[in-house]
Amino acid sequence: MIKKPTTNYIVQFFPFVILCILPWKGNCQSSGDTVADALIEMGFENVSWIEDEEERIFAFECASYTLPSIGIRKAVDKIRETGLLQNKDCKLIILNNNIPQILLNYQPSEVEDSLSVARNDWSISYEMGKSWKKLEGAPKKNSSLFKVDIVIYPELSFQNYKLSRIYDVVFNLSPSIEISLWKGMKLATQVIFPIVNDNYGERYDQIRPGFVTLSQTFRLPQRTFLTATVGTFNNFRWGIDIEAKHFLKDERFSLEARVGYTGSGYYDNWSYNYGKIWRLTGSIGGNFYWPKYNTLFSLKGERYLLKEYGIRGEMIRHFRYASIGFYGMLVEHAGNDGFNGGFLFQISIPPYKNKRKGYIPRVSSGDFALRYNAGNEEIYGKGYRARANKNDMRDNSFNPYFIKSELLNF
């Protein structure tokens, strides 16, 4: 005969049931290693983490995502599901070629369930505080060092300097082999494959090297970034280029400067021909970012390749997959009383995720970038780009205000 449990028996057994159930809530808060492994499975690289009495810190690079904003959103959602602690801050340090860019910080409040944490609850800043130093010596997983990326850049140029034709056009596909050698150092070698050459000259019919560069990026104190690049650039230049950018305490404002010392050079049947005259070029100026419309305003004083000086102003609005803007210039010796201008745009080409498989080279698409010279100035106000991936959209990839808006609007 089976006895039915009495009321007293149930009351005595109830505390034991509660003790068995309570630990399950804590188990929902995964260990740092579990979260790091989940990030690696999603394709994030250079993943590390550390935890102390005050906070849990993760660092990672969105290498598998063409647009960092998409990768950051996915990482935030994954960590929100598995990696938040109810009694500790959680900080995410976003890397680019192992250099820390921005920090996302979540401070827990009286919230019972971490899944109720919204993306808006994360603050974002260039300021690292002591968090980056705490990660020194932490084990790093899924390193990007010595892994090969093949990035295919489409290139379109056109000019209308002739009255007998509307436009001369050239279109190339230019794959670049890019390798991270150590923290902040990248080797890039590019080959240009001509697709269309409409009256640009025989030189543009040749398969030839494009950018061949070594670039080193440093993060200096007080929200300052410095990048030095040596090699062959576009616009038939080679030499050294150094650029620096400093973000003020109010991170909507920034200052930047650039200096280059280059000579002329070009490939002809894979033989490099260079001139003996070197030019000192550069620019210095400031920027203001309007978060409401994700729009950057900039004003710079510049020195160009023919030793002429000028002023350039730009307004660029940044969207998720593109950046579109206008620019105006006042350049000495140029036509139209020195005035020139035009529009610019950059478009990120899908696919937007390409997960790497071990050390097998990863193939992805680069950005399509174009500047239109509306003033039709052919000689003065000319410069160069020092890296294949250098454009306004990439420069804005880690802007805290842009990342914040993307977290909210996805």
Side-chain angles (χ1 to χ4, degrees):
M1 177 172 156
I2 300 175
K3 287 176 129 185
K4 293 184 180 179
T6 64
T7 303
N8 290 337
Y9 180 81
I10 294 175
V11 170
Q12 293 174 1
F13 188 71
F14 184 75
F16 176 76
V17 173
I18 296 299
L19 290 176
C20 291
I21 293 175
L22 283 176
W24 286 101
K25 184 174 182 181
N27 288 341
C28 292
Q29 300 175 350
S30 302
S31 70
D33 280 327
T34 302
V35 179
D37 291 341
L39 293 175
I40 293 170
E41 181 63 27
M42 295 169 65
F44 293 93
E45 298 180 353
N46 301 317
V47 179
S48 61
W49 76 279
I50 195 170
E51 184 176 339
D52 59 21
E53 296 179 354
E54 300 176 348
E55 58 191 5
R56 175 183 282 183
I57 306 170
F58 295 94
F60 54 84
E61 188 163 334
C62 307
S64 293
Y65 297 86
T66 303
L67 301 173
S69 59
I70 295 178
I72 293 171
R73 177 183 65 86
K74 292 185 177 294
V76 164
D77 288 347
K78 175 59 67 173
I79 292 171
R80 179 176 63 92
E81 294 171 4
T82 60
L84 293 180
L85 302 176
Q86 293 181 340
N87 58 345
K88 293 183 180 181
D89 292 359
C90 184
K91 295 182 178 178
L92 314 181
I93 297 176
I94 312 302
L95 309 176
N96 184 28
N97 199 18
N98 276 299
I99 299 295
Q101 302 293 315
I102 56 175
L103 181 141
L104 285 73
N105 183 26
Y106 167 71
Q107 295 178 318
S109 58
E110 297 299 325
V111 178
E112 288 297 323
D113 186 357
S114 65
L115 290 179
S116 64
V117 176
R119 295 175 186 153
N120 191 43
D121 294 330
W122 295 82
S123 63
I124 309 176
S125 173
Y126 288 109
E127 187 62 59
M128 292 288 115
K130 298 180 181 179
S131 300
W132 179 242
K133 290 186 178 180
K134 286 184 179 181
L135 275 170
E136 291 182 356
K140 187 175 295 185
K141 299 181 179 180
N142 198 24
S143 173
S144 64
L145 296 181
F146 307 113
K147 293 180 179 178
V148 177
D149 282 287
I150 301 176
V151 185
I152 300 175
Y153 295 94
E155 298 178 348
L156 174 66
S157 299
F158 55 90
Q159 59 188 15
N160 57 346
Y161 300 133
K162 301 174 184 177
L163 295 177
S164 59
R165 297 175 58 85
I166 298 178
Y167 287 109
D168 297 329
V169 178
V170 64
F171 177 71
N172 306 316
L173 288 178
S174 305
S176 175
I177 298 176
E178 302 178 0
I179 306 173
S180 176
L181 299 179
W182 57 78
K183 181 180 177 181
M185 169 63 77
K186 179 164 287 189
L187 168 67
T189 60
Q190 185 184 58
V191 178
I192 299 174
F193 293 91
I195 306 300
V196 176
N197 174 22
D198 188 8
N199 285 306
Y200 259 71
E202 294 183 2
R203 189 187 304 165
Y204 289 85
D205 285 327
Q206 300 177 17
I207 298 175
R208 60 196 185 277
F211 291 92
V212 180
T213 59
L214 274 172
S215 60
Q216 175 68 58
T217 299
F218 303 92
R219 174 160 184 151
L220 305 179
Q222 300 299 321
R223 305 171 300 278
T224 302
F225 297 85
L226 176 70
T227 300
T229 306
V230 296
T232 59
F233 310 143
N234 78 330
N235 205 15
F236 310 113
R237 309 303 296 180
W238 72 284
I240 182 170
D241 182 88
I242 301 173
E243 55 183 307
K245 194 166 189 177
H246 171 72
F247 294 91
L248 303 183
K249 191 170 184 180
D250 183 343
E251 295 177 345
R252 295 175 301 169
F253 296 90
S254 60
L255 304 173
E256 62 178 302
R258 179 184 177 190
V259 62
Y261 192 56
T262 63
S264 62
Y266 63 92
Y267 287 95
D268 187 7
N269 292 319
W270 290 83
S271 176
Y272 195 69
N273 301 275
Y274 59 91
K276 297 181 180 180
I277 299 176
W278 287 68
R279 299 293 191 198
L280 183 67
T281 58
S283 66
I284 186 169
N287 310 295
F288 170 73
Y289 193 83
W290 192 5
K292 183 177 180 179
Y293 295 106
N294 282 321
T295 301
L296 179 72
F297 299 88
S298 65
L299 183 65
K300 302 174 187 175
E302 300 180 319
R303 175 184 164 109
Y304 306 104
L305 290 172
L306 295 180
K307 301 182 180 181
E308 74 275 32
Y309 292 88
I311 299 174
R312 178 195 298 266
E314 294 184 343
M315 180 190 73
I316 305 172
R317 184 166 185 182
H318 297 284
F319 302 90
R320 181 171 302 160
Y321 302 111
S323 296
I324 302 172
F326 302 90
Y327 70 93
M329 303 172 63
L330 178 62
V331 181
E332 63 176 345
H333 310 315
N336 299 319
D337 295 324
F339 289 97
N340 195 6
F343 65 85
L344 57 94
F345 63 89
Q346 293 97 37
I347 300 173
S348 182
I349 301 174
Y352 300 115
K353 182 181 180 182
N354 195 349
K355 185 177 176 181
R356 192 195 304 274
K357 297 181 180 180
Y359 281 86
I360 298 174
R362 176 174 54 196
V363 180
S364 58
S365 56
D367 306 321
F368 173 74
L370 181 68
R371 282 179 177 258
Y372 178 68
N373 175 12
N376 208 28
E377 174 57 47
E378 185 176 4
I379 300 174
Y380 297 104
K382 302 300 181 181
Y384 61 88
R385 283 188 300 125
R387 301 188 303 279
N389 63 350
K390 173 69 175 176
N391 62 55
D392 302 290
M393 185 169 65
R394 288 295 146 194
D395 289 346
N396 192 65
S397 292
F398 299 99
N399 185 310
Y401 299 101
F402 180 74
I403 296 298
K404 185 78 170 183
S405 69
E406 288 293 278
L407 288 181
L408 298 178
N409 294 327
F410 260 100

